[in-house]
Amino acid sequence: ARRELLELQSQASAVESLGQAKAEAKARAEASEIEGQNQVSQAKKRSEAKKIESESTLSQQKAFQDAELANQEALTHLELEHAAAMAKVANGKFKTQVDCVGRETIMSMASAGPAMQAKLLGGLNLSGFLVTDGNTPVNLFQTAAGLIKKE
């Protein structure tokens, strides 16, 4: 009976250590599974955070580019208005000069020779103008030489 008792105690001890080993293995497996799920969850959260950060950066860049585009369009519009105003002023100035000089004077200047044209324009205090009848081609090399004062 003693021997049976020792055998039973030995079997019980073996069953107990086997149960404990199974429980420890099961606990380690569950811990590993929980840890794996935790790492997957953390990776998803990091991915979401990167996505939000990228979308935010993209949104900021788009807003900056939109503002820059609007600014450039406004600047271009202002430049066009300025150019139109300056053209209107130049046109008015030319019309005033032509009106002051008179049509007959301009016609006589066109029919006069280049030296006489230069004298007439100089007498009217006009520089940088060229008078032509519109039919005769202009040799700009000779014209420029005639407009430059020689000392």
Side-chain angles (χ1 to χ4, degrees):
R2 176 139 175 97
R3 186 171 164 210
E4 252 179 69
L5 179 63
L6 286 176
E7 274 182 36
L8 287 174
Q9 283 179 347
S10 168
Q11 286 177 354
S13 175
V15 168
E16 183 181 338
S17 67
L18 182 63
Q20 187 175 5
K22 279 185 178 181
E24 286 177 7
K26 187 176 180 180
R28 279 192 301 270
E30 287 177 4
S32 293
E33 183 180 346
I34 291 170
E35 187 177 329
Q37 288 175 348
N38 206 11
Q39 287 177 351
V40 168
S41 176
Q42 286 178 354
K44 285 181 182 179
K45 298 289 184 196
R46 279 191 297 259
S47 173
E48 284 180 40
K50 273 285 198 208
K51 180 181 174 186
I52 290 170
E53 183 180 348
S54 295
E55 288 174 351
S56 173
T57 302
L58 182 63
S59 175
Q60 286 177 345
Q61 287 176 347
K62 185 179 182 323
F64 177 76
Q65 288 173 349
D66 288 346
E68 193 172 303
L69 179 64
N71 185 35
Q72 189 62 38
E73 286 175 348
L75 188 61
T76 302
H77 182 70
L78 285 175
E79 287 174 356
L80 285 174
E81 286 179 354
H82 180 261
M86 293 305 290
K88 188 175 180 181
V89 167
N91 189 17
K93 179 182 174 186
F94 183 75
K95 185 176 181 338
T96 303
Q97 288 175 339
V98 168
D99 289 343
C100 286
V101 171
R103 288 182 174 262
E104 292 78 26
T105 307
I106 293 174
M107 287 173 49
S108 66
M109 287 172 59
S111 63
M116 183 56 101
Q117 288 177 359
K119 283 183 183 179
L120 286 170
L121 289 173
L124 294 172
N125 201 17
L126 298 175
S127 61
F129 285 89
L130 175 67
V131 180
T132 179
D133 60 2
N135 294 327
T136 310
V138 177
N139 183 343
L140 294 178
F141 293 110
Q142 290 178 351
T143 304
L147 293 176
I148 298 174
K149 293 183 181 179
K150 296 180 183 174
E151 294 180 25

